[in-house]
């Protein structure tokens, strides 16, 4: 298997998790795979959810704050084939109006056969990506907070390796009285410092906006997240039921609009429990090429806080060949 095949495979695996496989940034799509089971269950993309959980800062550093004091979060995700993703993150307050966090994320894609130019199998290798991150946030006003995450990304595919640097910039407005959260994020700004070979692989730079709103006395909240805002047109090929070779390109206004949006709803009866459901139309339409299931595009999550610990789980089935599962554990070390 050559380098380009490996990169394409990893782009497909990571891209299927976040519905980003068809947007042209094949080498680093894993950066958009969330480490939060809560976010994964809400459609895989959410930048505005407010929780006392260090894992949710994954897609927006402005969600980090002094309320996340001495927290340790660990995550694990089982995905396609032998792919396994895992990570850990630790955060602390920095005075009354700031906070910092550091984390590491490992993306393993199982064992693959290596071959020479003639197709002769020469052995096996295990491609992997590792992302190191450091985040800082600060309260700008009583309602507005800004944050930044710096990421170092190391990739090793057989004898090839690469290193890149990326930055996430985020803002969050949160009004506790109206239970309204509004966020803006620029994700994955940066580039490769060391290339795999002579080809330059781009990072999946993205602009995102989102809101989360509680429904007053009813213990529900809703979220809408807009992403892939660096370009409007996101066409896809509809292959129908797979019995015909006549494919149709979908590029209407409505199709493009909904492929930019992720919808989510949660039942939150207390700060100890949540149950959530998400729908990502881009996941569903992207997976039409890969035998999507009836549940493709939908995801679900649940979490509970007990004493010093929080546990979260999420599940989704992007296509018939893979039921994905994600687990989070959050420990509040200051309570020990």
């Amino acid at each position: 298997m050559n380098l380009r095949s490996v990169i394409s495979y990893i782009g497909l695996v990571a891209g299927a998790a976040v519905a980003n496989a068809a947007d042209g940034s094949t080498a680093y799509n894993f950066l958009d795979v969330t480490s939060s089971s809560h976010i994964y269950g809400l459609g895989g993309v959410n930048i505005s959810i407010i929780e006392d959980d260090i894992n949710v800062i994954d897609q927006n550093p402005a969600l980090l704050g002094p309320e996340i004091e001495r927290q340790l979060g660990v995550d694990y995700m089982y995905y396609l084939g032998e792919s396994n993703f895992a990570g850990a993150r630790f955060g602390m307050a920095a005075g009354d109006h700031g906070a910092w966090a550091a984390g590491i994320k490992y993306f393993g894609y199982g064992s693959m056969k290596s071959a020479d130019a003639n197709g002769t199998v020469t052995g096996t290798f295990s491609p992997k990506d590792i992302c190191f991150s450091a985040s800082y946030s600060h309260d700008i006003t009583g309602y507005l907070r800004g944050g930044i995450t710096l990421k170092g990304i190391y990739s090793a595919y057989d004898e090839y390796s690469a290193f890149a640097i990326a930055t996430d910039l985020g803002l969050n407005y949160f009004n506790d009285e109206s239970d309204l959260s509004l966020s803006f994020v620029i994700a994955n700004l940066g580039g490769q410092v060391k290339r795999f070979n002579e080809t330059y692989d781009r990072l999946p730079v993205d602009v995102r906006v989102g809101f989360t709103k509680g429904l007053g006395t009813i213990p529900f909240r809703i979220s809408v997240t807009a992403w892939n805002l660096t370009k409007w047109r996101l066409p896809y090929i509809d292959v129908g039921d797979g019995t015909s070779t006549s494919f149709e390109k979908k590029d209407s206004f409505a199709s493009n609009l909904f492929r930019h949006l992720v919808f989510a709803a949660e039942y939150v009866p207390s700060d100890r429990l949540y149950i959530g459901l998400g729908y990502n139309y881009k996941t569903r339409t992207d997976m039409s090429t890969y035998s999507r299931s009836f549940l493709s595009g939908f995801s679900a999550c649940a979490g509970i806080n007990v004493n010093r610990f929080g546990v979260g789980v999420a599940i989704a089935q992007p296509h018939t060949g893979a039921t994905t599962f994600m687990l989070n554990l959050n420990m509040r070390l200051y309570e020990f």
Side-chain angles (χ1 to χ4, degrees):
M1 183 176 287
N2 59 34
L3 175 62
R4 185 51 53 187
S5 296
V6 174
I7 292 177
S8 298
Y9 169 79
I10 292 171
L12 171 61
V13 170
V18 293
N20 202 33
D23 293 335
S25 301
T26 58
Y28 292 95
N29 287 325
F30 60 86
L31 291 175
D32 287 330
V33 179
T34 180
S35 60
S36 166
S37 61
H38 198 163
I39 291 176
Y40 187 66
L42 298 181
V45 186
N46 190 303
I47 62 172
S48 55
I49 186 172
I50 304 296
E51 282 291 339
D52 183 15
D53 179 0
I54 192 170
N55 294 299
V56 303
I57 77 168
D58 174 75
Q59 294 186 344
N60 185 358
L63 300 181
L64 174 67
E67 66 277 3
I68 301 180
E69 164 64 358
R70 279 186 287 172
Q71 283 197 31
L72 174 65
V74 295
D75 63 271
Y76 168 76
M77 182 179 185
Y78 169 76
Y79 198 63
L80 180 67
E82 299 179 10
S83 299
N84 292 273
F85 307 154
R89 182 178 276 108
F90 177 75
M92 286 191 66
D96 295 332
H97 300 284
W100 64 266
I104 183 173
K105 183 81 173 181
Y106 172 83
F107 303 83
Y109 308 100
S111 179
M112 298 183 184
K113 294 180 180 180
S114 57
D116 59 22
N118 298 318
T120 303
V121 175
T122 58
T124 61
F125 66 101
S126 299
K128 59 182 176 291
D129 296 297
I130 302 174
C131 181
F132 306 91
S133 64
S135 304
Y136 178 76
S137 70
H138 193 82
D139 293 336
I140 300 171
T141 70
Y143 296 101
L144 187 65
R145 177 181 293 166
I148 181 172
T149 294
L150 180 65
K151 296 179 283 191
I153 307 119
Y154 171 76
S155 301
Y157 307 157
D158 202 5
E159 73 269 24
Y160 301 96
S161 64
F163 187 78
I165 294 176
T167 302
D168 295 344
L169 304 173
L171 286 173
N172 174 255
Y173 168 88
F174 178 60
N175 188 321
D176 183 57
E177 295 180 358
S178 60
D179 198 7
L180 172 65
S181 173
L182 303 171
S183 288
F184 174 80
V185 169
I186 302 176
N188 302 321
L189 285 171
Q192 281 185 314
V193 178
K194 178 183 181 297
R195 304 181 185 187
F196 290 106
N197 50 26
E198 68 279 0
T199 302
Y200 181 82
D201 295 300
R202 297 183 297 110
L203 273 66
V205 178
D206 194 15
V207 174
R208 302 167 183 173
V209 296
F211 81 88
T212 298
K213 179 72 173 67
L215 302 182
T217 58
I218 304 174
F220 286 89
R221 61 186 178 190
I222 58 174
S223 297
V224 179
T225 307
W227 66 312
N228 284 312
L229 298 182
T230 54
K231 56 182 176 181
W232 164 251
R233 294 186 63 224
L234 297 174
Y236 72 98
I237 303 299
D238 188 351
V239 300
D241 59 5
T243 61
S244 173
T245 58
S246 178
F247 302 153
E248 182 181 359
K249 183 177 181 180
K250 300 287 188 178
D251 195 18
S252 67
F253 175 85
S255 171
N256 282 307
L257 174 63
F258 282 99
R259 278 168 61 81
H260 283 285
L261 301 177
V262 179
F263 303 92
E266 299 172 86
Y267 172 63
V268 191
S270 72
D271 58 2
R272 290 184 173 270
L273 174 69
Y274 69 83
I275 300 173
L277 180 69
Y279 180 69
N280 189 322
Y281 180 71
K282 190 171 187 299
T283 297
R284 184 169 182 82
T285 50
D286 281 350
M287 289 301 102
S288 64
T289 307
Y290 308 104
S291 301
R292 72 183 180 203
S293 71
F294 172 78
L295 297 175
S296 180
F298 289 96
S299 54
C301 59
I304 187 170
N305 289 302
V306 180
N307 296 326
R308 304 175 180 91
F309 297 93
V311 179
V313 295
I315 190 169
Q317 191 181 53
H319 56 89
T320 55
T323 297
T324 60
F325 175 80
M326 192 169 191
L327 172 68
N328 274 169
L329 177 63
N330 176 36
M331 292 165 281
R332 295 177 287 275
L333 302 182
Y334 65 87
E335 294 187 9
F336 282 85

